[in-house]
Amino acid sequence: MELIVNGLMLKSADYKENDKILTLLTAEKGKITAGIKGVRKAKAKLKFAAQPFCFAEYVLSEKGGRYTVVNASECESFYDLRTDINKFYAASAAAEAANALTYEGEDCREIFTRLIKTLSEMCGGAESRALISFLLFALGGAGYAVTAENCAVCGAPLHGLNKLKFDMDTGSFTCGECGNGAGASRVTYNVLRMVQGKSCEQDFITPDGEKRALRLIREYFSYKLNASFKSLSEYIRLI
Ligand SMILES: [Zn+2]
């Protein structure tokens, strides 16, 4: 049986001599894995379809619940993401998070649409803000929302306070006196609010703010998923 899906290539692994196994995030079938034959040969016609961030219409054949890519036509290559190393790692971090936070068999339409939009934004402009915004969205969708609101314990506004904490268990900020979190910076709190379109203290939006916010997100991701977040670590090292 043949079917056509709109898919984004999240991850590939070598298989046999010339083949690959792709992890595709699709609008129609959620996250799937599909084999693709011969793409490691220099002149393979479908080589592009196994490249990072390839967004294409994939034609799949299905047999006994296993998919094989038999054809593909590219919708968007996001070429700029492959020529700028910072953008490449930011996009890799978005793809890695999308892979880690979705499961086969569930509807992935929202995260699929959001990831395509994020990759376009990264091509056209500053990639770090687009990445933070996507990671917050993807974590929230998986039940690991990060909330940068009033103190999650006593309800006091956190603007104006120097000592804040972030609680990894609840994904929320508290004032210095409440909760069991570890110390968190006022800059991180404000950058997360800014990215979410909320009011923030402009004096605490510093040039290294996005990097600090990404560090917190990386720790939180690792804590929740019990896994390292390799491409985000690489991106943080680069910026
Ligand atoms: Zn409090």
Side-chain angles (χ1 to χ4, degrees), residues 183-232:
S185 85
R186 197 167 166 183
V187 169
T188 298
Y189 174 76
N190 278 286
V191 168
L192 291 173
R193 284 186 62 87
M194 176 193 69
V195 170
Q196 293 177 314
K198 295 170 185 161
S199 64
C200 54
E201 301 172 288
Q202 287 302 326
D203 289 353
F204 289 87
I205 305 293
T206 58
D208 67 342
E210 287 171 358
K211 186 171 184 166
R212 292 165 79 162
L214 284 167
R215 279 204 197 103
L216 180 101
I217 292 172
R218 176 184 58 184
E219 276 176 47
Y220 180 64
F221 179 100
S222 296
Y223 181 81
K224 289 296 189 195
L225 294 166
N226 199 18
S228 63
F229 194 165
K230 291 194 188 106
S231 38
L232 182 57

Side-chain angles (χ1 to χ4, degrees), residues 151 153-156 174-175 178:
C151 172
V153 176
C154 73
T174 66
C175 65
C178 288

